[in-house]
Amino acid sequence: ILEKDAEERNLEISKINKGLNSSIIYAKKLQSAVIAHQNLAGDIFKDSFIFYLPKGIVGGDFYFTYKLNNELIFGVADCTGHGVPGAMLSLLCMTFLETAINAFKLSSPKLILEKVNMLLKNSFNQGDYLVRDGMDISILNYSKEKSELTFAGAKSKMLVIQNNERIIVDGDHHPIGYWVGNEKVSFTNTIIPVNGPANVFMFTDGLVDQFGGEKGKKLKYSKFYELLFSVRDLSSKQQKEAISQFTKEWMGSQEQIDDITVAGVKF
């Protein structure tokens, strides 16, 4: 009787898991459809790549590309959590980015972040119910006419390699959304001239925080920057392959702890 009861319970659990997995797989199709038109390697940037590796079937990382007048706006974002909650938040944040850029016609990264921050806070502060979730995000505006990049980041940074020199550009230290002790938040633009060939790398902290290697420790930024610097002379396709192979070897048998996104553009 006990064996029969256990078998029936296992069958019921199997049905529930199958239904949940089917729903999550369909959610992945929806999320992929939204992200698909944001591929940096499309018509906007010919020489670019996206290495996108969610921890689960769906994830909280996303990337985006917009063209407003003669300016190109692109970046990567890491929403709170991963899996289904992260994916739901990422779709909401994508909508707010779309609103800030296409509806409000904002092209300054600083102003885009401030608008998205306001929209997210208003959305998550309803009555007595307050959600303290948000995202870390990097945004770049490229002006071909001025030959310059304008960067703003919410708890994020980027790496520019130009003339064989590494330039680490830090964003502001607060994320998008509610955080303790600061209700009114502003962000800062940083301008980087593009003088000759340059590699620009934008990323979430998924790979930086990943445990791996011989000692099973976090990769950290110093080794991550060394990796990006080592692939600077490769084509974008080869850069993606090299980063993908490194990630696989670094993790080894360790479990992936977060979504991983690395984007690269050559100018």
Side-chain angles (χ1 to χ4, degrees), residues 5-197:
D5 287 346
E7 190 175 322
E8 287 177 352
R9 284 197 300 271
N10 287 337
L11 284 172
E12 185 64 27
I13 291 170
S14 178
K15 287 179 183 178
I16 293 171
N17 284 337
K18 188 176 180 180
L20 288 172
N21 282 332
S22 295
S23 295
I24 295 171
I25 289 170
Y26 189 74
K28 176 179 175 63
K29 290 181 180 178
L30 296 176
Q31 188 181 39
S32 298
V34 174
I35 294 178
H37 75 286
Q38 301 287 10
N39 197 335
L40 286 174
D43 295 334
I44 293 179
F45 292 110
K46 296 291 184 182
D47 202 358
S48 60
F49 75 88
I50 290 286
F51 175 56
Y52 179 65
L53 186 65
K55 170 179 165 58
I57 298 174
V58 291
D61 283 9
F62 67 93
Y63 48 92
F64 53 91
T65 313
Y66 292 93
K67 188 172 183 179
L68 189 64
N69 300 321
N70 294 321
E71 298 173 304
L72 301 177
I73 302 160
F74 55 102
V76 298
D78 177 5
C79 294
T80 304
H82 47 256
V84 174
M88 292 178 67
L89 184 56
S90 74
L91 290 173
L92 184 62
C93 289
M94 283 186 225
T95 302
F96 292 150
L97 271 169
E98 181 86 22
T99 301
I101 296 169
N102 286 336
F104 286 91
K105 303 299 179 183
L106 299 176
S107 61
S108 165
K110 160 189 163 66
L111 296 180
I112 294 170
L113 290 183
E114 290 170 359
K115 176 60 71 173
V116 171
N117 192 49
M118 185 195 73
L119 292 170
L120 187 63
K121 282 186 173 183
N122 289 343
S123 176
F124 279 174
N125 186 16
Q126 299 297 326
D128 296 329
Y129 190 71
L130 176 63
V131 178
R132 294 189 180 275
D133 286 315
M135 66 174 169
D136 304 339
I137 180 173
S138 298
I139 299 184
L140 265 178
N141 175 308
Y142 173 58
S143 171
K144 189 174 182 180
E145 182 182 351
K146 297 179 182 177
S147 293
E148 66 181 25
L149 297 165
T150 303
F151 170 83
K155 204 179 176 184
S156 61
K157 57 187 76 178
M158 74 168 183
L159 176 67
V160 178
I161 301 175
Q162 199 167 205
N163 300 321
N164 267 348
E165 293 184 6
R166 287 184 282 187
I167 305 169
I168 300 167
V169 188
D170 285 308
D172 292 285
H173 295 296
H174 40 265
I176 294 291
Y178 281 97
W179 68 299
V180 177
N182 199 334
E183 293 299 324
K184 294 182 179 180
V185 175
S186 61
F187 294 91
T188 309
N189 278 340
T190 301
I191 296 176
I192 306 102
V194 180
N195 300 317

